[in-house]
Amino acid sequence: MADVLRVCALYPDLMNIYADRGNLQLLRKRCEWRGLGFELSGVGLDDPLDPDAHDLFYVGGGQDRDQALCAEDMATNKRDALHKAADDGKVIFAVCGGYQLLGHSYDLDGTKLPGVGLVDLETVREEGPRLIGNVAIEVTLDDTPQVLAGFENHGGRTRLGADTRPLGRVLKGHGNDGRSGFEGARGGARGTVVGTYLHGPLLPKNAWFADWLTATALHRTVSELGVLDDRLEDAAHAAARRAAGI
Ligand code: GLN
């Protein structure tokens, strides 16, 4: 097994609301506990992005104004690298504001922020309240349906293209647009581009999902990663499910 997980966080200062960087800490700890190496680098505005130097690319959530700063840079300076990474089967994991930027555009009160076009979807900030609350979705990544539980807070409504796979089906909460019953999206040549509105931080409450991201990034199966003592993580997951009402 490649014994180092190399993670690249895009815009770690600007795209990090609700302590989304907790997702990175969880990935790091689980690698350490398994005796795997973990390398984290960050790329900011104007920085070059090397698609071959990382196994997993991460984009957190952002306020509209911070997203506007990143959108242009991501769609121009990082676009080709991200497409190459996706074509090579690298994991690209984006939450909330980062998820919105995986699509074609984010229409913000008439101003269209560009996306990187990795997944066929678009987001519009429509009239109406922000979609806020605890959320649970059913996700089938391999064969077994599992529950991803967390929290969402977004003004944008995301519509998936006709052939775009959602990440999951909403059990409780709003999901992509409060109507479709879909949450998140999967794309890329090998389904390794994953976006979700659940954030803040999501992975400590869903360690099983963190392990799928890690295993996929390392081209391994989850069982090859080995079992950890997940009593605390299981309790956090159960609490997040209870908060969502399932
Ligand atoms: N700014 C985006 C929205 O409100 C995303 C917010 C977020 O990342 N929480 O839709």
Side-chain angles (χ1 to χ4, degrees):
M1 179 185 308
D3 54 5
V4 179
L5 180 67
R6 301 167 304 163
V7 175
C8 178
L10 275 76
Y11 317 107
D13 299 328
L14 292 166
M15 300 292 278
N16 173 45
I17 52 174
Y18 294 116
D20 282 336
R21 70 165 67 91
N23 290 326
L24 300 173
Q25 287 170 355
L26 188 281
L27 291 172
R28 175 192 293 278
K29 291 312 290 183
R30 291 181 81 74
C31 280
E32 288 173 2
W33 291 332
R34 289 181 162 119
L36 296 168
F38 181 91
E39 286 173 12
L40 176 63
S41 30
V43 297
L45 298 173
D46 297 324
D47 289 342
L49 179 62
D50 180 351
D52 302 319
H54 315 282
D55 309 300
L56 190 156
F57 298 80
Y58 176 70
V59 199
Q63 311 272 5
D64 288 343
R65 65 173 180 276
D66 293 330
Q67 253 178 290
L69 289 174
C70 297
E72 196 67 45
D73 181 75
M74 196 165 155
T76 50
N77 298 327
K78 317 281 196 281
R79 183 191 168 93
D80 291 349
L82 287 169
H83 277 264
K84 165 128 189 359
D87 289 347
D88 291 347
K90 302 288 178 83
V91 173
I92 299 175
F93 175 48
V95 300
C96 206
Y99 165 41
Q100 294 170 338
L101 298 182
L102 293 183
H104 301 298
S105 58
Y106 176 25
D107 193 332
L108 197 51
D109 303 323
T111 306
K112 233 177 206 202
L113 304 183
V116 289
L118 276 175
V119 187
D120 181 18
L121 58 85
E122 57 185 21
T123 302
V124 177
R125 177 75 178 92
E126 290 171 0
E127 287 297 312
R130 296 183 67 79
L131 304 179
I132 303 175
N134 294 305
V135 54
I137 67 174
E138 185 182 77
V139 175
T140 307
L141 292 172
D142 297 320
D143 293 326
T144 319
Q146 284 176 280
V147 172
L148 200 61
F151 178 76
E152 62 182 326
N153 180 353
H154 51 109
R157 271 73 168 163
T158 296
R159 294 190 211 105
L160 305 183
D163 295 328
T164 302
R165 267 191 293 173
L167 173 62
R169 192 173 61 80
V170 174
L171 301 173
K172 282 289 162 89
H174 302 289
N176 280 340
D177 59 2
R179 297 185 286 264
S180 64
F182 294 142
E183 204 295 313
R186 283 184 72 187
R190 295 167 53 192
T192 56
V193 179
V194 179
T196 178
Y197 271 116
L198 278 62
H199 66 155
L202 165 69
L203 297 184
K205 295 181 259 188
N206 298 277
W208 69 268
F209 185 61
D211 285 353
W212 181 84
L213 293 171
T214 299
T216 304
L218 294 176
H219 302 288
R220 296 289 149 168
T221 62
V222 170
S223 52
E224 284 172 321
L225 292 182
V227 174
L228 293 174
D229 175 355
D230 275 339
R231 278 173 291 180
L232 276 176
E233 290 78 0
D234 291 346
H237 182 71
R241 289 177 67 139
R242 274 198 305 279
I246 65 154

mmCIF file with all atom_site columns, all heavy atoms in Angstrom, residues 71-91:
data_model
loop_
_atom_site.group_PDB
_atom_site.id
_atom_site.type_symbol
_atom_site.label_atom_id
_atom_site.label_alt_id
_atom_site.label_comp_id
_atom_site.label_asym_id
_atom_site.label_entity_id
_atom_site.label_seq_id
_atom_site.pdbx_PDB_ins_code
_atom_site.Cartn_x
_atom_site.Cartn_y
_atom_site.Cartn_z
_atom_site.occupancy
_atom_site.B_iso_or_equiv
_atom_site.pdbx_formal_charge
_atom_site.auth_seq_id
_atom_site.auth_comp_id
_atom_site.auth_asym_id
_atom_site.auth_atom_id
_atom_site.pdbx_PDB_model_num
ATOM 1   N N   . ALA A 1 71 ? -13.483 31.667 -6.700  1.00 0.00 ? 71 ALA A N   1
ATOM 2   C CA  . ALA A 1 71 ? -14.105 31.087 -7.893  1.00 0.00 ? 71 ALA A CA  1
ATOM 3   C C   . ALA A 1 71 ? -13.305 31.400 -9.151  1.00 0.00 ? 71 ALA A C   1
ATOM 4   O O   . ALA A 1 71 ? -13.002 30.506 -9.953  1.00 0.00 ? 71 ALA A O   1
ATOM 5   C CB  . ALA A 1 71 ? -15.538 31.593 -8.029  1.00 0.00 ? 71 ALA A CB  1
ATOM 6   N N   . GLU A 1 72 ? -12.957 32.668 -9.309  1.00 0.00 ? 72 GLU A N   1
ATOM 7   C CA  . GLU A 1 72 ? -12.241 33.096 -10.507 1.00 0.00 ? 72 GLU A CA  1
ATOM 8   C C   . GLU A 1 72 ? -10.877 32.397 -10.590 1.00 0.00 ? 72 GLU A C   1
ATOM 9   O O   . GLU A 1 72 ? -10.489 31.881 -11.640 1.00 0.00 ? 72 GLU A O   1
ATOM 10  C CB  . GLU A 1 72 ? -12.051 34.620 -10.439 1.00 0.00 ? 72 GLU A CB  1
ATOM 11  C CG  . GLU A 1 72 ? -11.671 35.272 -11.745 1.00 0.00 ? 72 GLU A CG  1
ATOM 12  C CD  . GLU A 1 72 ? -12.801 35.200 -12.773 1.00 0.00 ? 72 GLU A CD  1
ATOM 13  O OE1 . GLU A 1 72 ? -13.970 35.473 -12.410 1.00 0.00 ? 72 GLU A OE1 1
ATOM 14  O OE2 . GLU A 1 72 ? -12.494 34.858 -13.937 1.00 0.00 ? 72 GLU A OE2 1
ATOM 15  N N   . ASP A 1 73 ? -10.180 32.373 -9.450  1.00 0.00 ? 73 ASP A N   1
ATOM 16  C CA  . ASP A 1 73 ? -8.847  31.756 -9.423  1.00 0.00 ? 73 ASP A CA  1
ATOM 17  C C   . ASP A 1 73 ? -8.927  30.259 -9.706  1.00 0.00 ? 73 ASP A C   1
ATOM 18  O O   . ASP A 1 73 ? -8.120  29.705 -10.466 1.00 0.00 ? 73 ASP A O   1
ATOM 19  C CB  . ASP A 1 73 ? -8.225  31.978 -8.042  1.00 0.00 ? 73 ASP A CB  1
ATOM 20  C CG  . ASP A 1 73 ? -6.831  31.385 -7.955  1.00 0.00 ? 73 ASP A CG  1
ATOM 21  O OD1 . ASP A 1 73 ? -5.903  31.989 -8.529  1.00 0.00 ? 73 ASP A OD1 1
ATOM 22  O OD2 . ASP A 1 73 ? -6.675  30.306 -7.349  1.00 0.00 ? 73 ASP A OD2 1
ATOM 23  N N   . MET A 1 74 ? -9.935  29.619 -9.119  1.00 0.00 ? 74 MET A N   1
ATOM 24  C CA  . MET A 1 74 ? -10.063 28.168 -9.285  1.00 0.00 ? 74 MET A CA  1
ATOM 25  C C   . MET A 1 74 ? -10.397 27.833 -10.732 1.00 0.00 ? 74 MET A C   1
ATOM 26  O O   . MET A 1 74 ? -9.864  26.880 -11.305 1.00 0.00 ? 74 MET A O   1
ATOM 27  C CB  . MET A 1 74 ? -11.155 27.686 -8.334  1.00 0.00 ? 74 MET A CB  1
ATOM 28  C CG  . MET A 1 74 ? -11.177 26.203 -8.075  1.00 0.00 ? 74 MET A CG  1
ATOM 29  S SD  . MET A 1 74 ? -12.215 25.885 -6.622  1.00 0.00 ? 74 MET A SD  1
ATOM 30  C CE  . MET A 1 74 ? -12.704 24.201 -6.956  1.00 0.00 ? 74 MET A CE  1
ATOM 31  N N   . ALA A 1 75 ? -11.285 28.636 -11.324 1.00 0.00 ? 75 ALA A N   1
ATOM 32  C CA  . ALA A 1 75 ? -11.740 28.340 -12.690 1.00 0.00 ? 75 ALA A CA  1
ATOM 33  C C   . ALA A 1 75 ? -10.682 28.681 -13.741 1.00 0.00 ? 75 ALA A C   1
ATOM 34  O O   . ALA A 1 75 ? -10.743 28.181 -14.862 1.00 0.00 ? 75 ALA A O   1
ATOM 35  C CB  . ALA A 1 75 ? -13.029 29.098 -12.979 1.00 0.00 ? 75 ALA A CB  1
ATOM 36  N N   . THR A 1 76 ? -9.726  29.514 -13.383 1.00 0.00 ? 76 THR A N   1
ATOM 37  C CA  . THR A 1 76 ? -8.685  29.843 -14.353 1.00 0.00 ? 76 THR A CA  1
ATOM 38  C C   . THR A 1 76 ? -7.379  29.127 -14.012 1.00 0.00 ? 76 THR A C   1
ATOM 39  O O   . THR A 1 76 ? -6.888  28.302 -14.778 1.00 0.00 ? 76 THR A O   1
ATOM 40  C CB  . THR A 1 76 ? -8.458  31.373 -14.434 1.00 0.00 ? 76 THR A CB  1
ATOM 41  O OG1 . THR A 1 76 ? -8.285  31.878 -13.113 1.00 0.00 ? 76 THR A OG1 1
ATOM 42  C CG2 . THR A 1 76 ? -9.630  32.064 -15.071 1.00 0.00 ? 76 THR A CG2 1
ATOM 43  N N   . ASN A 1 77 ? -6.836  29.376 -12.806 1.00 0.00 ? 77 ASN A N   1
ATOM 44  C CA  . ASN A 1 77 ? -5.512  28.837 -12.470 1.00 0.00 ? 77 ASN A CA  1
ATOM 45  C C   . ASN A 1 77 ? -5.489  27.364 -12.065 1.00 0.00 ? 77 ASN A C   1
ATOM 46  O O   . ASN A 1 77 ? -4.436  26.738 -12.104 1.00 0.00 ? 77 ASN A O   1
ATOM 47  C CB  . ASN A 1 77 ? -4.898  29.649 -11.318 1.00 0.00 ? 77 ASN A CB  1
ATOM 48  C CG  . ASN A 1 77 ? -4.695  31.089 -11.706 1.00 0.00 ? 77 ASN A CG  1
ATOM 49  O OD1 . ASN A 1 77 ? -4.423  31.379 -12.868 1.00 0.00 ? 77 ASN A OD1 1
ATOM 50  N ND2 . ASN A 1 77 ? -4.854  31.996 -10.763 1.00 0.00 ? 77 ASN A ND2 1
ATOM 51  N N   . LYS A 1 78 ? -6.617  26.845 -11.588 1.00 0.00 ? 78 LYS A N   1
ATOM 52  C CA  . LYS A 1 78 ? -6.583  25.475 -11.048 1.00 0.00 ? 78 LYS A CA  1
ATOM 53  C C   . LYS A 1 78 ? -7.386  24.490 -11.907 1.00 0.00 ? 78 LYS A C   1
ATOM 54  O O   . LYS A 1 78 ? -7.326  23.285 -11.669 1.00 0.00 ? 78 LYS A O   1
ATOM 55  C CB  . LYS A 1 78 ? -7.171  25.441 -9.626  1.00 0.00 ? 78 LYS A CB  1
ATOM 56  C CG  . LYS A 1 78 ? -6.739  26.570 -8.698  1.00 0.00 ? 78 LYS A CG  1
ATOM 57  C CD  . LYS A 1 78 ? -5.366  26.369 -8.114  1.00 0.00 ? 78 LYS A CD  1
ATOM 58  C CE  . LYS A 1 78 ? -5.062  27.249 -6.925  1.00 0.00 ? 78 LYS A CE  1
ATOM 59  N NZ  . LYS A 1 78 ? -4.692  28.638 -7.223  1.00 0.00 ? 78 LYS A NZ  1
ATOM 60  N N   . ARG A 1 79 ? -8.135  24.992 -12.859 1.00 0.00 ? 79 ARG A N   1
ATOM 61  C CA  . ARG A 1 79 ? -9.084  24.154 -13.600 1.00 0.00 ? 79 ARG A CA  1
ATOM 62  C C   . ARG A 1 79 ? -8.421  22.951 -14.281 1.00 0.00 ? 79 ARG A C   1
ATOM 63  O O   . ARG A 1 79 ? -8.851  21.811 -14.093 1.00 0.00 ? 79 ARG A O   1
ATOM 64  C CB  . ARG A 1 79 ? -9.816  25.023 -14.641 1.00 0.00 ? 79 ARG A CB  1
ATOM 65  C CG  . ARG A 1 79 ? -10.864 24.262 -15.410 1.00 0.00 ? 79 ARG A CG  1
ATOM 66  C CD  . ARG A 1 79 ? -11.378 25.070 -16.616 1.00 0.00 ? 79 ARG A CD  1
ATOM 67  N NE  . ARG A 1 79 ? -12.151 24.200 -17.462 1.00 0.00 ? 79 ARG A NE  1
ATOM 68  C CZ  . ARG A 1 79 ? -13.464 24.042 -17.401 1.00 0.00 ? 79 ARG A CZ  1
ATOM 69  N NH1 . ARG A 1 79 ? -14.173 24.754 -16.553 1.00 0.00 ? 79 ARG A NH1 1
ATOM 70  N NH2 . ARG A 1 79 ? -14.076 23.188 -18.185 1.00 0.00 ? 79 ARG A NH2 1
ATOM 71  N N   . ASP A 1 80 ? -7.381  23.199 -15.056 1.00 0.00 ? 80 ASP A N   1
ATOM 72  C CA  . ASP A 1 80 ? -6.768  22.107 -15.819 1.00 0.00 ? 80 ASP A CA  1
ATOM 73  C C   . ASP A 1 80 ? -6.190  21.048 -14.888 1.00 0.00 ? 80 ASP A C   1
ATOM 74  O O   . ASP A 1 80 ? -6.322  19.842 -15.139 1.00 0.00 ? 80 ASP A O   1
ATOM 75  C CB  . ASP A 1 80 ? -5.665  22.643 -16.740 1.00 0.00 ? 80 ASP A CB  1
ATOM 76  C CG  . ASP A 1 80 ? -6.251  23.492 -17.867 1.00 0.00 ? 80 ASP A CG  1
ATOM 77  O OD1 . ASP A 1 80 ? -7.488  23.485 -18.039 1.00 0.00 ? 80 ASP A OD1 1
ATOM 78  O OD2 . ASP A 1 80 ? -5.457  24.171 -18.557 1.00 0.00 ? 80 ASP A OD2 1
ATOM 79  N N   . ALA A 1 81 ? -5.553  21.506 -13.815 1.00 0.00 ? 81 ALA A N   1
ATOM 80  C CA  . ALA A 1 81 ? -4.955  20.557 -12.871 1.00 0.00 ? 81 ALA A CA  1
ATOM 81  C C   . ALA A 1 81 ? -6.040  19.705 -12.219 1.00 0.00 ? 81 ALA A C   1
ATOM 82  O O   . ALA A 1 81 ? -5.870  18.490 -12.048 1.00 0.00 ? 81 ALA A O   1
ATOM 83  C CB  . ALA A 1 81 ? -4.160  21.315 -11.808 1.00 0.00 ? 81 ALA A CB  1
ATOM 84  N N   . LEU A 1 82 ? -7.150  20.322 -11.864 1.00 0.00 ? 82 LEU A N   1
ATOM 85  C CA  . LEU A 1 82 ? -8.218  19.557 -11.214 1.00 0.00 ? 82 LEU A CA  1
ATOM 86  C C   . LEU A 1 82 ? -8.833  18.552 -12.185 1.00 0.00 ? 82 LEU A C   1
ATOM 87  O O   . LEU A 1 82 ? -9.160  17.420 -11.796 1.00 0.00 ? 82 LEU A O   1
ATOM 88  C CB  . LEU A 1 82 ? -9.294  20.506 -10.659 1.00 0.00 ? 82 LEU A CB  1
ATOM 89  C CG  . LEU A 1 82 ? -8.858  21.286 -9.411  1.00 0.00 ? 82 LEU A CG  1
ATOM 90  C CD1 . LEU A 1 82 ? -9.854  22.390 -9.074  1.00 0.00 ? 82 LEU A CD1 1
ATOM 91  C CD2 . LEU A 1 82 ? -8.689  20.352 -8.209  1.00 0.00 ? 82 LEU A CD2 1
ATOM 92  N N   . HIS A 1 83 ? -8.982  18.940 -13.452 1.00 0.00 ? 83 HIS A N   1
ATOM 93  C CA  . HIS A 1 83 ? -9.517  17.987 -14.440 1.00 0.00 ? 83 HIS A CA  1
ATOM 94  C C   . HIS A 1 83 ? -8.549  16.824 -14.631 1.00 0.00 ? 83 HIS A C   1
ATOM 95  O O   . HIS A 1 83 ? -8.970  15.676 -14.750 1.00 0.00 ? 83 HIS A O   1
ATOM 96  C CB  . HIS A 1 83 ? -9.822  18.697 -15.758 1.00 0.00 ? 83 HIS A CB  1
ATOM 97  C CG  . HIS A 1 83 ? -11.165 19.376 -15.747 1.00 0.00 ? 83 HIS A CG  1
ATOM 98  N ND1 . HIS A 1 83 ? -12.303 18.805 -16.264 1.00 0.00 ? 83 HIS A ND1 1
ATOM 99  C CD2 . HIS A 1 83 ? -11.549 20.566 -15.228 1.00 0.00 ? 83 HIS A CD2 1
ATOM 100 C CE1 . HIS A 1 83 ? -13.341 19.618 -16.090 1.00 0.00 ? 83 HIS A CE1 1
ATOM 101 N NE2 . HIS A 1 83 ? -12.904 20.699 -15.457 1.00 0.00 ? 83 HIS A NE2 1
ATOM 102 N N   . LYS A 1 84 ? -7.260  17.128 -14.676 1.00 0.00 ? 84 LYS A N   1
ATOM 103 C CA  . LYS A 1 84 ? -6.281  16.035 -14.827 1.00 0.00 ? 84 LYS A CA  1
ATOM 104 C C   . LYS A 1 84 ? -6.359  15.096 -13.624 1.00 0.00 ? 84 LYS A C   1
ATOM 105 O O   . LYS A 1 84 ? -6.350  13.869 -13.768 1.00 0.00 ? 84 LYS A O   1
ATOM 106 C CB  . LYS A 1 84 ? -4.865  16.614 -14.979 1.00 0.00 ? 84 LYS A CB  1
ATOM 107 C CG  . LYS A 1 84 ? -3.758  15.596 -14.781 1.00 0.00 ? 84 LYS A CG  1
ATOM 108 C CD  . LYS A 1 84 ? -2.785  15.591 -15.900 1.00 0.00 ? 84 LYS A CD  1
ATOM 109 C CE  . LYS A 1 84 ? -1.748  14.499 -15.955 1.00 0.00 ? 84 LYS A CE  1
ATOM 110 N NZ  . LYS A 1 84 ? -1.663  13.491 -14.955 1.00 0.00 ? 84 LYS A NZ  1
ATOM 111 N N   . ALA A 1 85 ? -6.425  15.686 -12.431 1.00 0.00 ? 85 ALA A N   1
ATOM 112 C CA  . ALA A 1 85 ? -6.501  14.871 -11.217 1.00 0.00 ? 85 ALA A CA  1
ATOM 113 C C   . ALA A 1 85 ? -7.745  13.971 -11.260 1.00 0.00 ? 85 ALA A C   1
ATOM 114 O O   . ALA A 1 85 ? -7.673  12.776 -10.957 1.00 0.00 ? 85 ALA A O   1
ATOM 115 C CB  . ALA A 1 85 ? -6.524  15.772 -9.986  1.00 0.00 ? 85 ALA A CB  1
ATOM 116 N N   . ALA A 1 86 ? -8.870  14.541 -11.652 1.00 0.00 ? 86 ALA A N   1
ATOM 117 C CA  . ALA A 1 86 ? -10.115 13.751 -11.713 1.00 0.00 ? 86 ALA A CA  1
ATOM 118 C C   . ALA A 1 86 ? -9.996  12.648 -12.754 1.00 0.00 ? 86 ALA A C   1
ATOM 119 O O   . ALA A 1 86 ? -10.405 11.509 -12.517 1.00 0.00 ? 86 ALA A O   1
ATOM 120 C CB  . ALA A 1 86 ? -11.297 14.668 -12.027 1.00 0.00 ? 86 ALA A CB  1
ATOM 121 N N   . ASP A 1 87 ? -9.408  12.968 -13.910 1.00 0.00 ? 87 ASP A N   1
ATOM 122 C CA  . ASP A 1 87 ? -9.242  11.954 -14.962 1.00 0.00 ? 87 ASP A CA  1
ATOM 123 C C   . ASP A 1 87 ? -8.341  10.810 -14.491 1.00 0.00 ? 87 ASP A C   1
ATOM 124 O O   . ASP A 1 87 ? -8.501  9.668  -14.916 1.00 0.00 ? 87 ASP A O   1
ATOM 125 C CB  . ASP A 1 87 ? -8.641  12.586 -16.228 1.00 0.00 ? 87 ASP A CB  1
ATOM 126 C CG  . ASP A 1 87 ? -9.634  13.501 -16.925 1.00 0.00 ? 87 ASP A CG  1
ATOM 127 O OD1 . ASP A 1 87 ? -10.834 13.453 -16.574 1.00 0.00 ? 87 ASP A OD1 1
ATOM 128 O OD2 . ASP A 1 87 ? -9.207  14.292 -17.790 1.00 0.00 ? 87 ASP A OD2 1
ATOM 129 N N   . ASP A 1 88 ? -7.387  11.145 -13.633 1.00 0.00 ? 88 ASP A N   1
ATOM 130 C CA  . ASP A 1 88 ? -6.462  10.125 -13.121 1.00 0.00 ? 88 ASP A CA  1
ATOM 131 C C   . ASP A 1 88 ? -7.051  9.354  -11.942 1.00 0.00 ? 88 ASP A C   1
ATOM 132 O O   . ASP A 1 88 ? -6.354  8.519  -11.351 1.00 0.00 ? 88 ASP A O   1
ATOM 133 C CB  . ASP A 1 88 ? -5.149  10.790 -12.668 1.00 0.00 ? 88 ASP A CB  1
ATOM 134 C CG  . ASP A 1 88 ? -4.351  11.323 -13.857 1.00 0.00 ? 88 ASP A CG  1
ATOM 135 O OD1 . ASP A 1 88 ? -4.675  10.960 -15.001 1.00 0.00 ? 88 ASP A OD1 1
ATOM 136 O OD2 . ASP A 1 88 ? -3.417  12.119 -13.632 1.00 0.00 ? 88 ASP A OD2 1
ATOM 137 N N   . GLY A 1 89 ? -8.286  9.680  -11.568 1.00 0.00 ? 89 GLY A N   1
ATOM 138 C CA  . GLY A 1 89 ? -8.921  8.955  -10.464 1.00 0.00 ? 89 GLY A CA  1
ATOM 139 C C   . GLY A 1 89 ? -8.533  9.442  -9.091  1.00 0.00 ? 89 GLY A C   1
ATOM 140 O O   . GLY A 1 89 ? -8.748  8.754  -8.087  1.00 0.00 ? 89 GLY A O   1
ATOM 141 N N   . LYS A 1 90 ? -7.929  10.637 -9.014  1.00 0.00 ? 90 LYS A N   1
ATOM 142 C CA  . LYS A 1 90 ? -7.633  11.208 -7.698  1.00 0.00 ? 90 LYS A CA  1
ATOM 143 C C   . LYS A 1 90 ? -8.945  11.569 -7.012  1.00 0.00 ? 90 LYS A C   1
ATOM 144 O O   . LYS A 1 90 ? -9.958  11.837 -7.683  1.00 0.00 ? 90 LYS A O   1
ATOM 145 C CB  . LYS A 1 90 ? -6.783  12.477 -7.844  1.00 0.00 ? 90 LYS A CB  1
ATOM 146 C CG  . LYS A 1 90 ? -5.457  12.268 -8.571  1.00 0.00 ? 90 LYS A CG  1
ATOM 147 C CD  . LYS A 1 90 ? -4.479  11.495 -7.708  1.00 0.00 ? 90 LYS A CD  1
ATOM 148 C CE  . LYS A 1 90 ? -3.167  11.210 -8.405  1.00 0.00 ? 90 LYS A CE  1
ATOM 149 N NZ  . LYS A 1 90 ? -2.206  12.294 -8.352  1.00 0.00 ? 90 LYS A NZ  1
ATOM 150 N N   . VAL A 1 91 ? -8.925  11.627 -5.700  1.00 0.00 ? 91 VAL A N   1
ATOM 151 C CA  . VAL A 1 91 ? -10.124 12.022 -4.959  1.00 0.00 ? 91 VAL A CA  1
ATOM 152 C C   . VAL A 1 91 ? -10.166 13.548 -4.857  1.00 0.00 ? 91 VAL A C   1
ATOM 153 O O   . VAL A 1 91 ? -9.174  14.178 -4.478  1.00 0.00 ? 91 VAL A O   1
ATOM 154 C CB  . VAL A 1 91 ? -10.144 11.398 -3.548  1.00 0.00 ? 91 VAL A CB  1
ATOM 155 C CG1 . VAL A 1 91 ? -11.305 11.957 -2.721  1.00 0.00 ? 91 VAL A CG1 1
ATOM 156 C CG2 . VAL A 1 91 ? -10.264 9.879  -3.660  1.00 0.00 ? 91 VAL A CG2 1
#
